[in-house]
Each structure stands twice: as C-alpha cells, then as structure tokens.
Amino acid sequence: MTELIVGLILFLGIHSASIVAPVARDKAAVRLGEYGWKGLYSVIALVGLILLIRGYGDARLDPIVLYSSPEWTRHLVMLLMLPVFVFFLAAYLPGRISHTLKHPMLVAVKLWAASHLLANGALADVLLFGSFLAWAVVDRISIKRRSVRDNPRFPSGKANDPVAIVGGLALYLAFVFWLHPVLIGVAIIR
C-alpha cells in the first residue's frame, strides 16, 4: 500500500504544481527552461505512475474491502465509461465537445474515477480512484482562479469532433475487449 500512496503523491503532486504553487512552477520553468521543466515533470510523473500501478497491483492481491457493490454496477460503469475516451481525445482535438466541456480531460478523469468507485470498494480502489477524483475536482476549481497555459493540441477543425468520437469509441472497445485485461489484469466482460 505504501508504494501506491507514494506513487499517488508523486503523480498527482507534480500534476498539482500549478494548483498549489503556480509561482514556484513558473520560476522552475524559467530556471530550468520550458523543456527542462517538462523533462523533470515527466520523470516525476512517470516514476509516480509506475509506483502507483505496482502498488495498486500489489494491494489487489490482499484487498481490504470497505464496501461491496451490487453486480449491476459493473454494467453502469461500462455505460459511464463510454464517453471517457471521447472526452480524453477531445482535450487534444478542439471542437464543439471541447468547447462545451471547457476542460474535457478533467471531465474524463472525474467520470473515470467516479464510475470506478461505484463498482470497486477495496481500500486500494478508494485511494486510487478517490485521489484522482478529488484531484480533478480541485484542479477544475483552481482553473477558475489561475491563468491557464496552452496545452499542445491539434488545430481546430470540423473533423475534430468526429475523430474524437470514432477514436474514443475505438479506444473504449479496445479497452473493454483487450487492453483492460492485459494492462489491469481484470476482464471487463466475463
């Protein structure tokens, strides 16, 4: 469980630099250069991601169950997850989806985390998905109070929404039928 917690602190911590210390983040970017900052950011995020994945995997071997969800919540999660990959792609493909949601990546993270909390009630699940949900909510609130930097994305275009929808649904199907069992070790369709 320690590995999961350290991974969450590193991963979400570095992703929170603009939330809790925007001035320090900007000074570090100036001191290290934008690419130096992004390199450091990426290394810390990657180490955190590896630790939280390993920690979560280890914690699942001996789960501490906090609550049990009814079987039907698995189907609800599948339904709620349908737009997640679409929203994820829409963050990089400006169009109506992106404009309507304002911050589609954060919407995707919140929907992913909240839906997984419905069907997974072990302590590791609550730590992982609850932390991501809390982070996304706090980040969305903080965006209203700080200047937002441009993120890399494709230019605006009429094809962006259809690409996000088709690509997102393709990713969803890939996760349902192949990637989730391979990467996470849990078959979605049994």
Side-chain angles (χ1 to χ4, degrees):
M1 196 72 69
T2 302
E3 207 170 20
L4 171 61
I5 293 168
V6 171
L8 284 167
I9 291 168
L10 289 174
F11 187 82
L12 294 176
I14 196 65
H15 280 84
S16 300
S18 293
I19 298 170
V20 297
V23 174
R25 181 263 175 232
D26 291 343
K27 285 181 181 178
V30 168
R31 191 174 62 256
L32 299 171
E34 195 64 29
Y35 290 114
W37 165 253
K38 287 180 179 180
L40 177 64
Y41 184 103
S42 298
V43 168
I44 294 170
L46 182 61
V47 169
L49 184 62
I50 290 168
L51 288 174
L52 76 85
I53 289 170
R54 286 178 36 173
Y56 181 70
D58 290 347
R60 285 183 36 223
L61 296 175
D62 190 21
I64 300 168
V65 178
L66 301 177
Y67 59 89
S68 296
S69 299
E71 184 65 23
W72 61 266
T73 59
R74 291 183 59 242
H75 304 290
L76 180 59
V77 171
M78 288 183 66
L79 179 64
L80 293 172
M81 286 296 295
L82 261 171
V84 167
F85 292 102
V86 174
F87 296 166
F88 175 80
L89 292 179
Y92 301 100
L93 298 163
R96 285 185 176 191
I97 297 169
S98 180
H99 178 74
T100 301
L101 297 178
K102 302 215 182 338
H103 301 284
M105 180 69 72
L106 292 176
V107 175
V109 170
K110 288 188 277 189
L111 193 52
W112 166 78
S115 65
H116 280 74
L117 283 170
L118 290 174
N120 300 290
L123 178 59
D125 301 317
V126 172
L127 284 173
L128 177 68
F129 302 118
S131 295
F132 271 88
L133 179 59
W135 170 81
V137 168
V138 169
D139 194 29
R140 180 63 182 98
I141 293 167
S142 77
I143 286 173
K144 295 175 185 175
R145 294 180 174 89
R146 62 182 159 95
S147 60
V148 179
R149 285 176 289 285
D150 282 335
N151 291 321
R153 49 164 132 191
F154 290 93
S156 294
K158 291 181 181 181
N160 285 357
D161 285 338
V163 169
I165 291 167
V166 171
L169 293 177
L171 281 170
Y172 172 82
L173 292 172
F175 257 83
V176 168
F177 291 106
W178 180 62
L179 291 173
H180 204 276
V182 169
L183 297 175
I184 312 301
V186 177
I188 294 174
I189 297 178
R190 299 176 197 169

